[in-house]
Amino acid sequence: NAGVTQTPKFQVLKTGQSMTLQCAQDMNHEYMSWYRQDPGMGLRLIHYSVGAGITDQGEVPNGYNVSRSTTEDFPLRLLSAAPSQTSVYFCASSPKIPYEQYFGPGTRLTVT
Amino acid sequence: KQEVTQIPAALSVPEGENLVLNCSFTDSAIYNLQWFRQDPGKGLTSLLLIQSSQREQTSGRLNASLDKSSGRSTLYIAASQPGDSATYLCAVYTGANSKLTFGKGITLSVRP
């Protein structure tokens, strides 16, 4: 089991560029989510999915899109990157809510 | 709105000391509470999960307790080692909105 994998590990974007952060899990988990971690703010939920084809917004969804076409993958799209989106992004999965969550290694994103 | 507090933000102890990390939450209607460890530049690793009906969970040198009515949890680390140095975060699942709310973490340094 690879668990939860995220790519890339590091990324630098210019303001206005778009990109997709990839997240995949091989544990057949129904629930997947995206968080961002910022100094002094802790982890905040961006979007989540309770199964293929079902997504919903978390605490800080603006500027981000998600889709869940398969159980394994849950990509996060930045539509038009802004410096305020500089952060570390974590993907997590869980068999279902509210079971134990498993986190990926994170993507460190810098927007200049 | 659920709020999770971890105080102090940082702690430094000599090797071998037994220590307690505190976590408090404002809304006692939780499903469960999870303790995580985060090493610098890495993702979150789940340490212990306590269901709302449980009082404590143990894993090796770690023991987590939960007092739901008072909105408090503690993580007890026995015989601390330099390898325990990391940031410890607690998180609670609350209500029907599938949301895991995190504290900001306690950064622990164990001195040899």
Side-chain angles (χ1 to χ4, degrees), chain A residues 86-106:
Chain A
T86 294
S87 187
V88 181
Y89 291 85
F90 290 102
C91 178
S93 76
S94 175
K96 56 178 64 177
I97 300 164
Y99 286 27
E100 186 173 2
Q101 289 215 33
Y102 298 85
F103 279 76

Side-chain angles (χ1 to χ4, degrees), chain A residues 23-110:
Chain A
C23 173
Q25 52 90 11
D26 61 358
M27 298 174 281
N28 201 32
H29 286 173
E30 289 183 4
Y31 180 84
M32 296 185 75
S33 55
W34 278 101
Y35 294 86
R36 58 178 290 173
Q37 186 177 37
D38 302 291
M41 301 291 292
L43 279 108
R44 293 179 290 170
L45 183 65
I46 304 172
H47 285 285
Y48 65 94
S49 168
V50 297
I54 307 169
T55 63
D56 206 346
Q57 297 182 350
E59 187 182 353
V60 287
N62 292 343
Y64 307 94
N65 269 359
V66 292
S67 60
R68 183 100 178 267
S69 55
T70 68
T71 300
E72 295 78 20
D73 301 297
F74 191 44
L76 178 72
R77 297 183 188 84
L78 279 70
L79 309 172
S80 177
S84 61
Q85 294 178 305
T86 294
S87 187
V88 181
Y89 291 85
F90 290 102
C91 178
S93 76
S94 175
K96 56 178 64 177
I97 300 164
Y99 286 27
E100 186 173 2
Q101 289 215 33
Y102 298 85
F103 279 76
T107 294
R108 187 173 296 271
L109 175 69
T110 302

Side-chain angles (χ1 to χ4, degrees), chain A residues 31 37 40 90 97-98 100-101, chain B residues 32 34 38 46 93 98 104:
Chain A
Y31 180 84
Q37 186 177 37
F90 290 102
I97 300 164
E100 186 173 2
Q101 289 215 33
Chain B
N32 57 46
Q34 197 167 356
Q38 185 176 28
S46 178
Y93 253 123
S98 313
K104 293 181 181 177

